[in-house]
């Protein structure tokens, strides 16, 4: 390491710019020279998205970013919290460790069957949502939600996961209901899975007494439909999320990625399901 410390600061900056934001932060602790090099604009400019027009567009939609003095400070600001873009229909954020792009499609940018019919869906504001409004399911039997993003909007050479972000408040109709999720890359692979969107796992019914045996059998048959299926996790923002699928973005092609949430077979009424959006973010390596 002593040999590296003898290098000019500009040379060290060039080396650090070919690592990752996480590595640059760690190496900044080596010495004062490394610390100075690791804080330089030359390093952090390489960690920001390479298209300057894209960064300018993000800054124009969040004026508070315009006066940030250094590239490192800009990077930290973009990775600290989601930036709302496209008139409230998307959010953008950088992954803090890798600098890869994270995009969330707001419910308003999704195609929701009967989403504009107030008999079935309503658009409301929730204080814990990043977006101005979310979609609230009043009641439907036919659940169909679709989203699309072009790989051009994402970081190249990156494996991404797509996640449905939602909330249930006194929900009905999801407890014993398998739901189909899919992620389909145009002209490439398709990822599908069957899940249960209800986060609560209930034990099998074992009520005693002859008169309750039929009830036990009926409930257990319903529960068996979702036994072992993936269920959502609670996010740090206290919304629920479940992975819909994954795909690899080579960056060589500008493909459309189609994502869907579908339940149309059971004929069960569903209600009090709140959709914030679909988040597309890098998968953790290793």
């Amino acid at each position: 390491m002593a040999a590296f410390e003898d290098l000019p600061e500009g040379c060290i900056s060039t080396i650090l710019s070919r690592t990752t934001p996480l590595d640059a932060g760690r190496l900044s602790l080596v010495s004062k020279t490394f610390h100075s090099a690791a804080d330089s604009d030359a390093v952090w400019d390489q960690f920001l998205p390479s298209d300057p027009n894209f960064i300018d567009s993000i800054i124009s939609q969040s004026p508070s970013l315009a006066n940030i003095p250094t590239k490192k400070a800009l990077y930290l600001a973009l990775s600290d919290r989601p930036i709302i873009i496209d008139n409230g229909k998307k959010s953008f954020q950088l992954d803090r460790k890798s600098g890869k792009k994270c995009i969330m499609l707001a419910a308003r940018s999704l195609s929701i069957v009967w989403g504009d019919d107030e008999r079935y869906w309503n658009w409301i504001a929730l204080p814990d949502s990043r977006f101005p409004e979310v979609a609230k399911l009043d009641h439907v039997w036919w659940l169909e939600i679709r989203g699309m993003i072009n790989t051009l909007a994402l970081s190249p050479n990156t494996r991404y996961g797509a996640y449905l972000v939602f909330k249930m408040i006194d929900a009905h109709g999801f407890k014993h209901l398998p739901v189909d999720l899919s992620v389909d890359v145009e002209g490439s692979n398709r990822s599908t899975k069957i899940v249960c969107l209800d986060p609560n796992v209930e034990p099998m019914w074992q009520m005693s007494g002859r008169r309750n045996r039929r009830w036990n059998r009926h409930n257990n048959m319903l529960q068996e439909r979702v036994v072992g299926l993936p269920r959502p996790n609670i996010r740090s923002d206290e919304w629920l999320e479940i992975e819909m699928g994954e795909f690899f973005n080579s960056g060589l092609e500008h493909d459309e990625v189609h994502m869907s949430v579908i339940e149309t077979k059971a004929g069960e009424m569903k209600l009090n399901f709140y959709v914030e959006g679909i988040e597309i973010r890098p998968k953790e390596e290793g």
Side-chain angles (χ1 to χ4, degrees), residues 176-178 194 220-227 229 266 268:
H176 307 127
L177 197 64
I194 301 173
N220 289 341
M221 286 177 61
L222 290 176
Q223 291 184 49
E224 285 171 359
R225 291 160 52 181
V226 296
V227 168
L229 293 183
E268 294 187 28

Side-chain angles (χ1 to χ4, degrees), residues 110-269:
L110 306 178
S111 173
I112 302 176
V113 172
W114 296 306
D116 292 324
D117 191 327
E118 293 183 357
R119 293 175 298 174
Y120 306 111
W121 291 85
N122 276 289
W123 296 89
I124 65 170
L126 287 181
D128 57 353
S129 174
R130 68 181 65 182
F131 296 114
E133 56 185 359
V134 302
K136 175 183 180 289
L137 171 59
D138 280 342
H139 71 280
V140 295
W141 284 264
W142 185 291
L143 179 67
E144 183 173 345
I145 302 170
R146 297 183 183 272
M148 189 277 290
I149 191 170
N150 195 295
T151 55
L152 180 63
L154 303 172
S155 297
N157 196 32
T158 303
R159 180 161 297 279
Y160 275 94
Y163 303 82
L164 177 67
V165 182
F166 63 98
K167 186 168 285 193
M168 292 186 173
I169 303 175
D170 298 325
H172 173 82
F174 293 93
K175 186 175 296 185
H176 307 127
L177 197 64
V179 176
D180 296 315
L181 307 181
S182 72
V183 175
D184 187 4
V185 181
E186 185 180 40
S188 184
N189 63 313
R190 187 168 191 260
S191 172
T192 62
K193 60 173 61 178
I194 301 173
V195 305
C196 180
L197 296 180
D198 192 309
N200 301 309
V201 180
E202 291 190 343
M204 290 292 190
W205 283 71
Q206 295 296 333
M207 295 175 65
S208 60
R210 181 179 300 176
R211 60 188 294 188
N212 291 321
R213 289 175 185 170
R214 182 177 297 177
W215 175 254
N216 286 341
R217 285 197 299 269
H218 173 71
N219 266 279
N220 289 341
M221 286 177 61
L222 290 176
Q223 291 184 49
E224 285 171 359
R225 291 160 52 181
V226 296
V227 168
L229 293 183
R231 291 180 183 259
N233 298 312
I234 300 177
R235 295 160 50 96
S236 60
D237 58 10
E238 298 188 354
W239 285 75
L240 296 172
E241 72 169 21
I242 192 164
E243 184 176 328
M244 303 173 64
E246 63 179 58
F247 61 96
F248 182 76
N249 179 32
S250 67
L252 300 177
E253 303 290 340
H254 298 162
D255 296 322
E256 291 183 350
V257 181
H258 296 268
M259 299 152 286
S260 65
V261 181
I262 298 177
E263 199 299 297
T264 60
K265 302 173 184 176
E268 294 187 28
M269 186 175 70

Side-chain angles (χ1 to χ4, degrees), residues 15-87:
I15 294 171
L16 294 179
S17 71
R18 286 165 170 74
T19 63
T20 67
L22 185 61
D23 289 335
R26 289 169 174 167
L27 291 169
S28 69
L29 303 176
V30 170
S31 68
K32 291 182 178 180
T33 303
F34 267 74
H35 187 276
S36 178
D39 279 351
S40 68
D41 280 355
V43 171
W44 291 91
D45 191 49
Q46 295 300 309
F47 297 151
L48 292 166
S50 58
D51 183 358
N53 293 327
F54 176 79
I55 293 295
D56 289 343
S57 173
I58 297 297
I59 292 175
S60 70
Q61 298 178 72
S62 183
S64 63
L65 299 174
N67 297 320
I68 292 181
T70 67
K71 297 292 187 178
K72 180 180 180 180
L74 177 60
Y75 179 94
L76 295 176
L78 291 174
S79 61
D80 183 57
R81 60 181 177 81
I83 308 297
I84 305 303
I85 60 175
D86 291 357
N87 297 313

